[in-house]
Amino acid sequence: MDNREIARTLQTIATLMEIRGDDHYRVLAYQRAAESVASLGHPVAEVEDPRELPHVGETTAGVIRDLAQGRTPGILSELVEEVPAGLVEVTNLPNVGPRTAGRLWRELGVESVADVANLKEGAIASLKGFGKKSEERILRAARTYGSTERRMLLDEATSLAARMLDFIRSHPACERAEVAGSLRRQKETIGDLDLVAASTDQESLADAFAAASFVDEVLAHGPTKVSVRCAGTEVDLRIVEPEAFGSLLHHFTGSKAHNVALRERAVRMGLNISEYGIAKAGSGHYEPVATEEELYRRLDLPYIPPELREDTGEIEAAEEGRLPQLIEPADIRGDLHVHTDYSDGRGTIESMAEAAIELGHEYLVFCDHSKSLRVANGLSPERLVRKIEAVRAADARYDEIHLLCGAEVDILKDGTLDYEDGLLAELDLVVASVHTAFNMPEREMTDRIVRAMNNPYVRVLGHPTGRLLNRREPYAVDVSRLIAEAVSTGTALELDCYVDRLDLSVPYVREAVEAGAKISIDTDAHDEGALSFMRFGVSQARRAWVGKASVVNCLPWTKFERYLKRGK
Ligand code: DGT
Ligand code: CA
Ligand code: CA
Ligand code: ZN
């Protein structure tokens, strides 16, 4: 066995132990040993005593010796005997680590991804520490596992990429490494990951990446290019010398359509551009370009942010000096739509408030579900009244943030709302959303929503098309009419940041903002962690050419308070 195989086997032992529920320190010992072997510059088989390696002790040294000499270590036979083999693959599902896989095995009898896919709805959610949202994600991923149709959601792709970038950047031969491809452009779903790096010793970086412990399979491995399969996804890494990093990063960021349009513009200027650099047309001699800024400058253009690179007018706008001043994460001042354990959320008023303070928000609006939405534990009018009091009391305890009480009120079939106007008047803000009867004809559905938008208390139309990425198509609705109504009634349209919604979608957000509608970028968070999905909503807004002036929750508190009080 070579180092790579030994490291992988040590990692497998650690994973199996964790699934079995072994002590944390025991697991860590094998993980550390795996890293030591993987980063060793020469074959571990030549090492007299593996205990000399960093983080290798008595036990792991024995295991390494066994592996180096082609024997199966006792611990591995024992684990293979005990732990069903299919559970390792279960750890590739989102939100499922080895510990969780072990619980699914012990508590639900799961032995493979296929077993997860066949679980009844509610089985995972019934386990302690799981909510309905995480169950949905795990089930969806299990049911589409291995299919080429499967595209990752943004949070999953982001954390996978971060893990790999950490590894690449910590390598001594790495000068720079970045995400490219659709993830850098923040497309709503991600097919495969594209990573680019700059190094003066490309080959050793390529070798290290191919041997990394997170790699499941090496698909291609050259001196400057490695493709691997990891967590069910393909990852491509390209490496160049630092002088050419700008050209490489730009080329692999795409989109392809943007690259093609830019190349045509270059040709009109007598230039050729490629992943290797810029050349005088026809010369074939490519001069490397170190940064993207330099690349655009050489084409007489200002820098075009990755989120705009879709060939939807950005090159013309850049030529004419009218690229938009895009919203940035720091422009967000509050979150207008979050749930708590009053309905189907997992956080409390306090825990959500504290997470929002952590993110620097000036205000937070609690919008739990309304009475008819029984599946989501919607609040009866009596419970809502008590919740209003609880939020007011909590607000008085926090100086750092303004806590407001709203509701996500169901739009009933006929377009009326799920609470009486008298009660709506008591709330600081009302988000109105469709959660039932999705299968209406387009005309009826549009009329239904338009009626709700004309209610004077409805300030935000929640997830306006109801789509769930990879799972549910939007319902039939005339979005252009909703946009016109949003403008005439002064109702904001939501850009729901939850990674499987991103609803409104980018083209509609762009249309809405061009028509003069206001957008509310909010997270619809059901737990503290999801409050940080705000960044994905902001990136979708950037893809839609949105500036902060169009976004209600970019208003600083005093202006936001006035906006609420003024009414529609
Ligand atoms: P994805 O992976 O489906 O979410 O979308 P992308 O945009 O990441 O596409 P991918 O992974 O096929 O390629 C990454 C980038 O590499 C792409 O955005 C632009 C560049 N690229 C790939 N193939 C071509 C090509 O044939 N021509 C040009 N101009 N660029 C390409
Ligand atoms: Ca890609
Ligand atoms: Ca790719
Ligand atoms: Zn909702």
Side-chain angles (χ1 to χ4, degrees), residues 312-355:
T312 55
E314 72 279 9
I315 295 175
E316 296 77 352
E319 280 169 353
E320 293 160 20
R322 49 175 184 81
L323 280 175
Q325 180 76 38
L326 297 178
I327 181 174
E328 293 182 12
D331 294 327
I332 296 290
R333 304 297 188 103
D335 195 332
L336 306 191
H337 179 181
V338 309
H339 294 262
T340 68
D341 57 3
Y342 271 83
S343 63
D344 60 346
R346 282 176 59 207
T348 60
I349 292 172
E350 289 75 17
S351 72
M352 296 297 276
E354 277 154 30

Side-chain angles (χ1 to χ4, degrees), residues 43 61 65 81 118 140 168 201-202 206 226 236 259 265 287 318 320 392 406 411 428 479 504 534:
R65 217 174 289 117
E81 176 81 8
N118 289 327
R140 175 174 41 76
I168 297 167
D201 182 1
Q202 298 155 35
V226 184
D236 299 325
N259 290 357
R265 177 185 159 82
E287 228 185 287
E320 293 160 20
R392 303 267 182 268
I411 301 176
D428 297 310
V479 178
L504 278 181
M534 186 63 85

Side-chain angles (χ1 to χ4, degrees), residues 302-315:
Y303 178 77
I304 300 178
E307 296 93 332
L308 296 185
R309 300 182 197 166
E310 299 292 347
D311 191 29
T312 55
E314 72 279 9
I315 295 175

Side-chain angles (χ1 to χ4, degrees), residues 490-561:
T491 310
L493 297 171
E494 182 176 72
L495 198 182
D496 188 314
C497 303
Y498 203 84
V499 283
D500 67 1
R501 287 195 183 271
L502 303 178
D503 180 11
L504 278 181
S505 63
V506 166
Y508 289 137
V509 172
R510 191 166 169 187
E511 181 184 336
V513 166
E514 274 167 14
K518 292 282 189 263
I519 304 294
S520 165
I521 305 179
D522 50 49
T523 60
D524 197 356
H526 284 66
D527 57 51
E528 302 82 4
L531 284 171
S532 60
F533 288 171
M534 186 63 85
R535 57 184 287 205
F536 300 124
V538 170
S539 63
Q540 297 313 294
R542 290 169 62 85
R543 288 173 62 75
W545 297 48
V546 172
K548 67 176 177 181
S550 302
V551 179
V552 288
N553 53 316
C554 286
L555 291 173
W557 165 249
T558 44
K559 287 194 176 157
F560 180 69
E561 193 182 25

Side-chain angles (χ1 to χ4, degrees), residues 111 113 202 228 233 245 262 267 293 301 340 346 385 405 412 432 455 463 472 479 490 503 505 544 546 556 561:
E111 299 194 351
V113 171
Q202 298 155 35
V228 301
T233 298
F245 187 71
L262 203 64
V267 165
E293 286 79 1
L301 292 173
T340 68
R346 282 176 59 207
V385 168
C405 190
L412 304 178
N455 179 297
H463 42 75
R472 188 171 77 202
V479 178
D503 180 11
S505 63
V546 172
E561 193 182 25

Side-chain angles (χ1 to χ4, degrees), residues 256-328:
K256 195 170 164 182
H258 174 86
N259 290 357
V260 167
L262 203 64
R263 207 173 308 142
E264 284 166 2
R265 177 185 159 82
V267 165
R268 290 196 297 274
M269 297 171 69
L271 298 170
N272 289 144
I273 50 177
S274 78
E275 60 187 285
Y276 306 107
I278 298 188
K280 251 208 202 85
S283 76
H285 174 70
Y286 283 87
E287 228 185 287
V289 182
T291 66
E292 287 189 324
E293 286 79 1
E294 174 67 12
L295 181 69
Y296 283 110
R297 194 155 49 234
R298 296 275 291 273
L299 298 171
D300 275 337
L301 292 173
Y303 178 77
I304 300 178
E307 296 93 332
L308 296 185
R309 300 182 197 166
E310 299 292 347
D311 191 29
T312 55
E314 72 279 9
I315 295 175
E316 296 77 352
E319 280 169 353
E320 293 160 20
R322 49 175 184 81
L323 280 175
Q325 180 76 38
L326 297 178
I327 181 174
E328 293 182 12

